[in-house]
Amino acid sequence: MLKEIPLLENELDKSFENYEKKFKALADKKRLQIMNILTKQGSTCVCDLVPIIGMPQSKLSYHLKILLDADIIIKETKGTWSYYKINMKEVNHILSEELCCILKPENSQ
C-alpha cells in the first residue's frame, strides 16, 4: 500500500525548490553586481548596463535571464530596448523572516 505524503511536506518541498532557484541566482558575483547597480539606478536599459558591467551583451543577457527566471528582477520592454529593475517584493521576501522560520528549530529562541 502506498503511503500518502502529507500536503504540508509537498508545500515545504515546493518552497525549498523555490528558494534553491533564487539562491542559485544570487550565488554569483556578477549577478550580485548587476543587482547592486539596479538597486542604485532603478530601471536601467540593458544598453546602459553593458559598459558598467564590462561584459558583452550576450553574457550580460545570460545573467539577466537567470535573475529574471528567479523573479529577482523585472523586465520591461520599451521599443527595441529592455529595461530591468529589482523586484523589491521578491527581494524583501527573500530577506524576510519566512526563510528563517523554515530553517529555525521550533524550540530555539
Side-chain angles (χ1 to χ4, degrees):
M1 178 170 265
L2 291 175
K3 184 178 178 183
E4 188 174 320
I5 300 171
L7 184 58
L8 182 60
E9 287 298 317
N10 286 338
E11 290 174 5
L12 193 56
D13 192 48
K14 193 172 209 166
S15 184
F16 289 156
E17 288 174 11
N18 188 29
Y19 279 113
E20 177 184 34
K21 187 176 193 177
K22 291 178 190 320
F23 285 119
K24 279 185 178 180
L26 293 172
D28 182 271
K29 186 177 177 179
K30 281 294 182 186
R31 290 192 284 272
L32 291 171
Q33 183 182 10
I34 292 166
M35 289 178 62
N36 181 260
I37 291 165
L38 294 178
T39 299
K40 290 177 181 176
Q41 293 190 194
S43 183
T44 306
C45 177
V46 69
C47 62
D48 294 328
L49 286 171
V50 170
I52 296 170
I53 298 294
M55 69 171 51
Q57 186 171 343
S58 60
K59 284 189 177 185
L60 177 59
S61 294
Y62 165 79
H63 289 291
L64 290 169
K65 172 126 176 59
I66 291 171
L67 291 169
L68 196 59
D69 289 346
D71 205 25
I72 294 172
I73 61 172
I74 299 168
K75 176 182 174 181
E76 184 180 354
T77 304
K78 296 178 184 176
T80 58
W81 295 107
S82 295
Y83 290 79
Y84 295 89
K85 65 181 180 179
I86 295 289
N87 182 350
M88 287 312 300
K89 180 180 176 186
E90 195 59 42
V91 170
N92 287 335
H93 182 72
I94 292 169
L95 299 174
S96 73
E97 292 183 18
E98 179 182 326
L99 179 61
C100 296
C101 292
I102 290 173
L103 301 176
K104 186 177 178 182
E106 289 182 31
N107 59 0
S108 70
Q109 293 186 23

